[in-house]
mmCIF file with all atom_site columns, all heavy atoms in Angstrom:
data_model
loop_
_atom_site.group_PDB
_atom_site.id
_atom_site.type_symbol
_atom_site.label_atom_id
_atom_site.label_alt_id
_atom_site.label_comp_id
_atom_site.label_asym_id
_atom_site.label_entity_id
_atom_site.label_seq_id
_atom_site.pdbx_PDB_ins_code
_atom_site.Cartn_x
_atom_site.Cartn_y
_atom_site.Cartn_z
_atom_site.occupancy
_atom_site.B_iso_or_equiv
_atom_site.pdbx_formal_charge
_atom_site.auth_seq_id
_atom_site.auth_comp_id
_atom_site.auth_asym_id
_atom_site.auth_atom_id
_atom_site.pdbx_PDB_model_num
ATOM   1  N  N   . HIS A 1 79  ? 72.953 80.490 26.779 1.00 98.00 ? 98  HIS A N   1
ATOM   2  C  CA  . HIS A 1 79  ? 72.139 81.485 26.048 1.00 98.00 ? 98  HIS A CA  1
ATOM   3  C  C   . HIS A 1 79  ? 73.110 82.676 25.686 1.00 98.00 ? 98  HIS A C   1
ATOM   4  O  O   . HIS A 1 79  ? 73.925 82.974 26.395 1.00 98.00 ? 98  HIS A O   1
ATOM   5  C  CB  . HIS A 1 79  ? 70.888 81.869 26.804 1.00 98.00 ? 98  HIS A CB  1
ATOM   6  C  CG  . HIS A 1 79  ? 71.061 82.443 28.142 1.00 98.00 ? 98  HIS A CG  1
ATOM   7  N  ND1 . HIS A 1 79  ? 71.385 83.738 28.283 1.00 98.00 ? 98  HIS A ND1 1
ATOM   8  C  CD2 . HIS A 1 79  ? 71.060 81.922 29.340 1.00 98.00 ? 98  HIS A CD2 1
ATOM   9  C  CE1 . HIS A 1 79  ? 71.512 84.023 29.666 1.00 98.00 ? 98  HIS A CE1 1
ATOM   10 N  NE2 . HIS A 1 79  ? 71.179 82.940 30.292 1.00 98.00 ? 98  HIS A NE2 1
ATOM   11 N  N   . ASP A 1 111 ? 76.185 85.721 33.646 1.00 97.00 ? 130 ASP A N   1
ATOM   12 C  CA  . ASP A 1 111 ? 74.875 85.140 33.114 1.00 97.00 ? 130 ASP A CA  1
ATOM   13 C  C   . ASP A 1 111 ? 74.697 85.607 31.629 1.00 97.00 ? 130 ASP A C   1
ATOM   14 O  O   . ASP A 1 111 ? 74.019 86.597 31.409 1.00 97.00 ? 130 ASP A O   1
ATOM   15 C  CB  . ASP A 1 111 ? 73.718 85.721 33.942 1.00 97.00 ? 130 ASP A CB  1
ATOM   16 C  CG  . ASP A 1 111 ? 72.398 85.067 33.595 1.00 97.00 ? 130 ASP A CG  1
ATOM   17 O  OD1 . ASP A 1 111 ? 72.430 84.024 32.925 1.00 97.00 ? 130 ASP A OD1 1
ATOM   18 O  OD2 . ASP A 1 111 ? 71.352 85.641 33.929 1.00 97.00 ? 130 ASP A OD2 1
ATOM   19 N  N   . GLU A 1 143 ? 66.688 83.487 25.831 1.00 96.00 ? 162 GLU A N   1
ATOM   20 C  CA  . GLU A 1 143 ? 66.418 82.641 27.149 1.00 96.00 ? 162 GLU A CA  1
ATOM   21 C  C   . GLU A 1 143 ? 65.687 83.642 28.183 1.00 96.00 ? 162 GLU A C   1
ATOM   22 O  O   . GLU A 1 143 ? 64.945 83.076 28.853 1.00 96.00 ? 162 GLU A O   1
ATOM   23 C  CB  . GLU A 1 143 ? 67.659 82.112 27.607 1.00 96.00 ? 162 GLU A CB  1
ATOM   24 C  CG  . GLU A 1 143 ? 67.585 81.122 28.758 1.00 96.00 ? 162 GLU A CG  1
ATOM   25 C  CD  . GLU A 1 143 ? 67.611 81.833 30.243 1.00 96.00 ? 162 GLU A CD  1
ATOM   26 O  OE1 . GLU A 1 143 ? 67.979 82.963 30.260 1.00 96.00 ? 162 GLU A OE1 1
ATOM   27 O  OE2 . GLU A 1 143 ? 67.289 81.111 31.101 1.00 96.00 ? 162 GLU A OE2 1
ATOM   28 N  N   . GLU A 1 144 ? 66.181 84.770 28.160 1.00 93.00 ? 163 GLU A N   1
ATOM   29 C  CA  . GLU A 1 144 ? 65.637 85.685 29.316 1.00 93.00 ? 163 GLU A CA  1
ATOM   30 C  C   . GLU A 1 144 ? 64.213 86.238 29.079 1.00 93.00 ? 163 GLU A C   1
ATOM   31 O  O   . GLU A 1 144 ? 63.681 86.697 29.924 1.00 93.00 ? 163 GLU A O   1
ATOM   32 C  CB  . GLU A 1 144 ? 66.670 86.911 29.397 1.00 93.00 ? 163 GLU A CB  1
ATOM   33 C  CG  . GLU A 1 144 ? 68.108 86.644 29.592 1.00 93.00 ? 163 GLU A CG  1
ATOM   34 C  CD  . GLU A 1 144 ? 68.346 86.160 31.068 1.00 93.00 ? 163 GLU A CD  1
ATOM   35 O  OE1 . GLU A 1 144 ? 67.374 85.962 31.806 1.00 93.00 ? 163 GLU A OE1 1
ATOM   36 O  OE2 . GLU A 1 144 ? 69.464 85.926 31.510 1.00 93.00 ? 163 GLU A OE2 1
ATOM   37 N  N   . GLU A 1 168 ? 74.876 77.899 33.136 1.00 98.00 ? 187 GLU A N   1
ATOM   38 C  CA  . GLU A 1 168 ? 74.345 79.004 33.867 1.00 98.00 ? 187 GLU A CA  1
ATOM   39 C  C   . GLU A 1 168 ? 75.020 79.179 35.223 1.00 98.00 ? 187 GLU A C   1
ATOM   40 O  O   . GLU A 1 168 ? 75.544 78.212 35.709 1.00 98.00 ? 187 GLU A O   1
ATOM   41 C  CB  . GLU A 1 168 ? 72.855 78.711 34.235 1.00 98.00 ? 187 GLU A CB  1
ATOM   42 C  CG  . GLU A 1 168 ? 71.907 78.715 33.110 1.00 98.00 ? 187 GLU A CG  1
ATOM   43 C  CD  . GLU A 1 168 ? 71.394 80.201 32.696 1.00 98.00 ? 187 GLU A CD  1
ATOM   44 O  OE1 . GLU A 1 168 ? 72.049 81.162 33.223 1.00 98.00 ? 187 GLU A OE1 1
ATOM   45 O  OE2 . GLU A 1 168 ? 70.599 80.187 31.813 1.00 98.00 ? 187 GLU A OE2 1
HETATM 46 ZN ZN1 . LIG B 2 .   ? 71.127 82.855 32.390 1.00 56.73 ? 19  LIG B ZN1 1
#
Side-chain angles (χ1 to χ4, degrees):
H98 57 85
D130 188 17
E162 187 270 350
E163 299 290 5
E187 291 278 8

